[in-house]
Amino acid sequence: IINGIKEDNITNTNSNTVVVSLDIVTLPPYIYMTNASIVSPVNENQIQMQWVVAPDGSANNVYINRSLNGIAFSKVVDLGPLLIPPQTIDVDNTADTQRDAYYYSISAENECGVAIHSDTARTIFLSGQDNFNLSNTLSWNEFELKYGDIQQYVLYRFLADGSLDPIAFFLPGEEMLFTDDVSGIDPANGNYCYKVECQYDLNLPGSLEPVSSIAFSNTFCLSQTSRIFVPTAFSPNGVNSIFKPEIVFPNNDNYNMIVLNRWGEKLFETNDPQMGWDGYVRGELAPQGVYPYVIEMVSTNGNQLLRKGTVLLLR
């Protein structure tokens, strides 16, 4: 109602009466992040978030927010209104899990745009490199969660059957770096693949007992590059009796080696990396001397390898 008073302070005018009922939702007093993990092996391109919402609140809109630096967040998933019981698990399927680690938070808003935000969680990003010496170096960032008490990190290598083999363990605060010696270890499907697991206890405010939980990194794979080492001499009647290169990670389907004489005539040819020249030509031992060779192979990473040179035959 509006009341109008004239200058004489006596005569007044009243408007009609209007009753308006405002039904503003009460936001929950807290939202706690409890996990942010790669959904593996179901979908490596999805990151699953888990959170806890206070039961005595609601919201018109709930969002999953994402950031690369933990400062500037963008809304990436609109979950709609917050219902009771609250939805506490959802995924972000727009993240590039092979690019970087991501920070996540949950926000809930009412119809006036007032919002409450959760704490943040940061995923684990695993990467590495081939050292060109039959070893791979892996590195990753630590898992970050406000109410997560990190117990340990486990670095796994995938076996040929897809199972995980734990190869190293790390405590929080240690350097997240490991060099894996893969000499004598056959790669699974041509690649060495790795994953990191973080084991932590969740200690939420007001909780009586901590809850054990885990978070996974992305799966990171790399292949050791093929390499060819060619001897400079051999002796058919000696210890090194066969002329054959040493090949690290050979490609049997794309290999060729030929040996020529000084006039360019082909003396030997093979497409099998395990075979070599014994120094004989048509059943007779070739004369002592220098013989040109050409070795070609497509490496495991698709590069064309070419080796040309000469080898000394000693009798």
Side-chain angles (χ1 to χ4, degrees), residues 230-252:
V230 186
T232 58
F234 77 112
S235 176
N237 297 317
V239 177
N240 186 20
S241 61
I242 301 293
F243 171 60
K244 182 176 72 71
E246 291 295 326
I247 303 176
V248 179
F249 300 108
N251 188 344
N252 295 343

Side-chain angles (χ1 to χ4, degrees), residues 234 243 256-269 277 279 281 286-287 289-295 307-313:
F234 77 112
F243 171 60
N256 180 257
M257 182 181 80
I258 61 174
V259 179
L260 310 171
N261 62 18
R262 68 179 66 182
W263 299 282
E265 297 175 332
K266 186 186 300 183
L267 303 180
F268 175 80
E269 181 175 15
W277 183 40
V281 179
V290 174
Y291 293 84
Y293 65 82
V294 178
I295 301 171
R307 298 290 184 270
K308 292 182 178 181
T310 58
V311 60
L312 174 62
L313 185 155

Side-chain angles (χ1 to χ4, degrees), residues 1 13 16 30 37 63 71 102 189 224 241 260 269 277:
I1 186 171
T13 303
N16 60 308
Y30 64 81
S37 176
Y63 301 97
I71 301 174
Y102 291 94
N189 300 320
Q224 282 279 330
S241 61
L260 310 171
E269 181 175 15
W277 183 40

Side-chain angles (χ1 to χ4, degrees), residues 71-268:
I71 301 174
F73 282 83
S74 300
K75 298 174 180 177
V76 292
V77 181
D78 184 349
L79 300 175
L82 178 64
L83 303 177
I84 302 298
Q87 173 68 36
T88 59
I89 299 177
D90 218 297
V91 297
D92 173 18
N93 55 20
T94 63
D96 183 356
T97 61
Q98 297 298 326
R99 172 190 173 186
D100 210 333
Y102 291 94
Y103 292 89
Y104 284 95
S105 70
I106 307 298
S107 61
E109 297 180 359
N110 63 19
E111 64 268 33
C112 296
V114 178
I116 179 176
H117 298 272
S118 73
D119 51 302
T120 62
R122 192 186 188 196
T123 61
I124 307 169
F125 174 65
L126 172 65
S127 61
Q129 64 181 22
D130 168 13
N131 296 321
F132 300 102
N133 62 358
L134 297 180
S135 72
N136 300 320
T137 295
L138 293 309
S139 62
W140 61 96
N141 63 281
E142 291 205 52
F143 179 64
E144 297 180 27
L145 185 66
K146 183 176 181 179
Y147 298 110
D149 182 13
I150 311 301
Q151 300 301 305
Q152 70 172 351
Y153 296 89
V154 184
L155 175 63
Y156 294 96
R157 186 197 308 117
F158 282 79
L159 300 178
D161 61 1
S163 60
L164 295 173
D165 180 27
I167 59 175
F169 300 85
F170 297 82
L171 295 176
E174 292 183 336
E175 185 178 20
M176 303 291 108
L177 186 70
F178 182 75
T179 297
D180 183 27
D181 181 359
V182 296
S183 58
I185 301 174
D186 291 331
N189 300 320
N191 289 314
Y192 294 95
C193 294
Y194 303 87
K195 178 177 287 294
V196 172
E197 175 190 74
C198 174
Q199 302 172 357
Y200 65 96
D201 289 339
L202 188 63
N203 294 279
L204 295 178
S207 298
L208 297 179
E209 295 291 339
V211 178
S212 297
S213 190
I214 59 175
F216 285 105
S217 74
N218 57 304
T219 297
F220 177 74
C221 299
L222 53 79
S223 60
Q224 282 279 330
T225 303
S226 302
R227 289 176 290 278
I228 301 175
F229 303 95
V230 186
T232 58
F234 77 112
S235 176
N237 297 317
V239 177
N240 186 20
S241 61
I242 301 293
F243 171 60
K244 182 176 72 71
E246 291 295 326
I247 303 176
V248 179
F249 300 108
N251 188 344
N252 295 343
D253 296 331
N254 295 276
Y255 178 82
N256 180 257
M257 182 181 80
I258 61 174
V259 179
L260 310 171
N261 62 18
R262 68 179 66 182
W263 299 282
E265 297 175 332
K266 186 186 300 183
L267 303 180
F268 175 80

